[in-house]
Amino acid sequence: MKLDAAQSTLARLCLDRTPRDEDLTALGGDPLRWLLYRHLVRGRFVDTFSDALPVATRALGREALGTMVERWLAERPPTTRYVRELSLQFADFALDHALPEGAPPWTADALRWDAAVMRCHIADDAERVPVGPFAMDRPVVLTPARALLRLRWSVHRDEVPTEGEHALLVFRAEDSLRVEALTLDAFSFALVTAMGAPHTSLTGAVYDVLARHGEHANADVAAVLASLLGDLLERGIVRGSAPDGA
Amino acid sequence: MRPTDPRFTGIGLGLRAPLAEAIVHRAPPSLRWLEVSPENHVNRGGSFVRMLHEARAKFPLVTHGLTMCPGSTDPLDRAYLTDLAAFVRAVEAPWHSDHLCFGHRDGVFLHDLLPIPFTRDAAAHTAARVREAMAALPVPFALENLSWYAHPGEAELDEAAFIRAVLDASGAWLMLDVNNVYVNARNHGFDAREFIDALPLDRVVQMHVAGHLVAEHGFRIDTHGEPVCDDVYDLLHYALRRTGPVPVLLERDHNPPPWEALVDELDRLDAIWRDATGVTP
Ligand SMILES: [Fe+2]
């Protein structure tokens, strides 16, 4: 068997929803051995996701997770060599498609939450952008190990989630390296979102958000801002500001 | 001349997150070095950076890749090779190894070590890719023999001849996985010692041992999740008698046992290593 045909056939055997007899015949020998490869490849993905997406797995159950994995492998199989990114690709796929019937209504939020946690957990935070001292008239430099998340269900907190509004800043704590979440009010959430824009100074971001909320700078706003910035700086979520000329 | 490094003698262990704390704080004297998979670390922050840093402060590191897939027909990924070379250099690995297999096709990664046919064409293709990868790496490169459960189509060569053909044509070294030899010998009914004798043993730079699962009808599956079996210890002794003092790594990637049980395995491997080589690491 040619190398090229061997690879396309075995890859298809592992990815297809149903193994094809003609592939088993082409590969030759004992079909059970080839089906073992299929079983090992597919089982490894399910195991990876039940570890990496714990809340979503609890919501879906392992069987429904397995069914989603089957669909993912057949329709949008993994294109990353890094195991740590597999759950992100799978979660994206699952969120783009109808979730299995009978899955609880918080399943999509669970996928979003697990993926955000994973993103923060693995984010490469080696200094690649210059960071200068914190300054209001410069763009803020935020840690890459962060994610903003709006959830309808309290999947981040409760074993049995309840419905509500949850605006979260998910981040990796600098000392423990554990991923945590801060609950933000609507103004703070909008502000941290605006801070993420690369070329907007912090002052500019504040005025943008105020304008969108129909508010003016006043003592209350200044107090909220000071408290939020203090918290973000202390936790290392704000690392400083982009230096002049950067 | 086979590459050697005085830091890499005796027994090593694969650095895995569930074992990292014990490796750093409770390592027995029999553990002398560690192996890391670049794929777990490159372009990543957080706990894995800290784990690597702490491990490096205590042990020398050698690198062992999972996804080069030299047998694949996809083009080699230059960005991956650049990142890999930088990582290998940064941890001061004495050599780098990866598997004689394919694992991705048309850009889809199957995350398994899949068999390639033992044909002359496949050997030539693989050797050419290995040469290309070697040109991008700052250290010698070794290929690992695979555990395989089925062979695609008809073989033109036996496995040992296939390995030799790839090594001869590429100039790569051999990472001899003794457990893989054993698993294949049991599953395909050949003699493990004869197989080892047929390999170019002067090209072995490092060995692996691991545990495997015995499934239905005695079929063996290479899981790296069980204790090393007695036959594999014996086969390691046999292989070391022939290669001389090459470093040996215990792979334990899944189902981590109590640390004391792993220490017992490391100590037993250390005793075998000393007895077979006549060398004190
Ligand atoms: Fe191995």
Side-chain angles (χ1 to χ4, degrees):
Chain A
M1 188 171 202
K2 290 280 182 211
L3 184 64
D4 195 53
Q7 295 186 11
S8 58
T9 309
L10 184 48
R12 190 168 52 230
L13 184 76
C14 292
L15 296 172
D16 272 359
R17 277 205 165 187
T18 314
R20 301 178 200 190
D21 286 341
E22 62 264 35
D23 286 344
L24 289 166
T25 308
L27 287 163
D30 181 352
L32 288 178
R33 300 271 180 105
W34 294 115
L35 293 171
L36 171 65
Y37 273 113
R38 177 179 157 92
H39 174 76
L40 292 173
V41 165
R42 299 164 83 83
R44 196 171 293 119
F45 287 120
V46 178
D47 289 344
T48 298
F49 300 150
S50 59
D51 283 348
L53 306 170
V55 183
T57 303
R58 212 163 46 227
L60 278 167
R62 206 178 147 94
E63 202 180 316
L65 174 69
T67 308
M68 294 274 342
V69 169
E70 281 189 5
R71 190 161 171 203
W72 173 66
L73 288 174
E75 293 174 28
R76 201 198 289 169
T79 54
T80 176
R81 69 176 68 245
Y82 298 119
V83 171
R84 60 180 182 264
E85 292 174 352
L86 287 170
S87 61
L88 304 179
Q89 292 197 345
F90 173 72
D92 281 348
F93 173 83
L95 288 167
D96 286 349
H97 290 79
L99 292 165
E101 244 177 81
W106 56 82
T107 305
D109 272 356
L111 283 162
R112 282 188 205 101
W113 164 254
D114 282 337
V117 170
M118 178 56 86
R119 272 197 187 92
C120 292
H121 183 58
I122 66 175
D124 185 0
D125 58 348
E127 301 283 351
R128 297 227 167 76
V129 291
V131 185
F134 178 72
M136 290 297 291
D137 61 345
R138 306 286 317 150
V140 163
V141 178
L142 294 163
T143 173
R146 70 172 201 286
L148 283 161
L149 205 56
R150 274 186 197 286
L151 301 176
R152 288 215 62 77
W153 295 88
S154 60
V155 291
H156 60 299
R157 201 181 57 200
D158 303 323
E159 188 93 7
V160 181
T162 52
E163 204 168 0
E165 293 273 343
H166 305 277
L168 302 178
L169 172 56
V170 189
F171 67 102
R172 186 170 74 215
E174 284 197 312
D175 294 340
S176 69
L177 302 179
R178 283 187 220 286
V179 175
E180 300 175 13
L182 287 175
T183 300
L184 302 181
D185 57 62
F187 178 71
S188 300
F189 190 89
L191 198 56
V192 178
T193 307
M195 283 182 203
H199 301 296
T200 314
S201 72
L202 178 54
T203 313
V206 172
Y207 280 106
D208 275 1
V209 173
L210 286 174
R212 266 186 283 128
H213 283 70
E215 289 184 38
H216 299 283
N218 57 32
D220 286 350
V221 167
V224 168
L225 183 62
S227 146
L228 175 68
L229 284 173
D231 205 8
L232 298 184
L233 279 160
E234 195 183 307
R235 293 174 191 273
I237 298 168
V238 169
R239 294 182 148 191
S241 297
D244 243 338
Chain B
M1 272 278 281
R2 153 199 297 175
T4 58
D5 183 315
R7 299 174 300 157
F8 292 85
T9 176
I11 308 305
L13 181 63
L15 178 65
R16 298 288 174 265
L19 304 175
E21 193 274 332
I23 287 175
V24 170
H25 298 292
R26 286 180 282 147
S30 53
L31 177 57
R32 314 188 72 85
W33 49 276
L34 302 175
E35 189 186 80
V36 293
S37 289
E39 283 85 346
N40 291 337
H41 297 277
V42 295
N43 305 330
R44 176 180 195 158
S47 58
F48 274 58
V49 174
R50 187 175 287 175
M51 173 172 87
L52 190 68
H53 185 79
E54 289 175 355
R56 254 202 101 195
K58 295 248 169 138
F59 293 100
L61 304 180
V62 65
T63 52
H64 178 59
L66 303 167
T67 62
M68 183 189 285
C69 307
S72 175
T73 50
D74 282 358
L76 270 178
D77 177 347
R78 306 306 308 185
Y80 164 69
L81 287 177
T82 303
D83 289 343
L84 177 62
F87 183 83
V88 165
R89 205 177 282 118
V91 302
E92 298 178 273
W95 53 78
H96 178 67
S97 58
D98 208 316
H99 305 83
L100 184 45
C101 71
F102 90 98
H104 53 89
R105 165 75 189 185
D106 298 331
V108 171
F109 283 81
L110 296 158
H111 291 271
D112 202 341
L113 308 169
L114 299 170
I116 49 181
F118 302 147
T119 61
R120 288 182 186 82
D121 274 1
H125 169 85
T126 305
R129 277 170 63 90
V130 169
R131 279 198 305 274
E132 211 183 322
M134 284 165 74
L137 289 173
V139 293
F141 176 72
L143 277 170
E144 176 175 341
N145 58 297
L146 211 61
S147 52
W148 51 278
Y149 308 125
H151 181 278
E154 292 292 321
E156 291 171 5
L157 305 164
D158 65 36
E159 186 187 359
F162 179 74
I163 292 171
R164 187 185 283 275
V166 176
L167 298 185
D168 283 351
S170 64
W173 301 93
L174 181 58
M175 156 73 81
L176 175 58
D177 189 313
V178 174
N179 178 61
N180 290 350
V181 172
Y182 181 79
V183 163
N184 292 340
R186 293 299 299 257
N187 287 344
H188 305 300
F190 61 77
D191 185 281
R193 285 173 170 74
E194 278 175 23
F195 179 87
I196 286 176
D197 289 342
L199 293 171
L201 296 178
D202 56 332
R203 301 197 71 82
V204 178
V205 288
Q206 188 189 324
M207 293 191 207
H208 276 172
V209 285
H212 59 261
L213 186 77
V214 183
E216 269 174 69
H217 312 299
F219 194 77
R220 315 262 159 168
I221 302 174
D222 177 30
T223 53
H224 299 184
E226 323 292 323
V228 178
C229 72
D230 287 346
D231 284 353
V232 169
Y233 282 114
D234 291 347
L235 192 59
L236 173 68
H237 190 281
Y238 180 86
L240 279 169
R241 287 290 296 267
R242 273 144 190 80
T243 59
V246 302
V248 172
L249 180 102
L250 173 62
E251 299 185 285
R252 186 65 188 247
D253 300 334
H254 303 290
N255 194 18
W259 179 241
E260 296 67 34
L262 266 191
V263 169
D264 287 348
E265 288 196 298
L266 292 167
D267 287 349
R268 183 167 173 188
L269 289 169
D270 185 56
I272 288 171
W273 198 90
R274 288 163 191 257
D275 186 69
T277 65
V279 173
T280 303

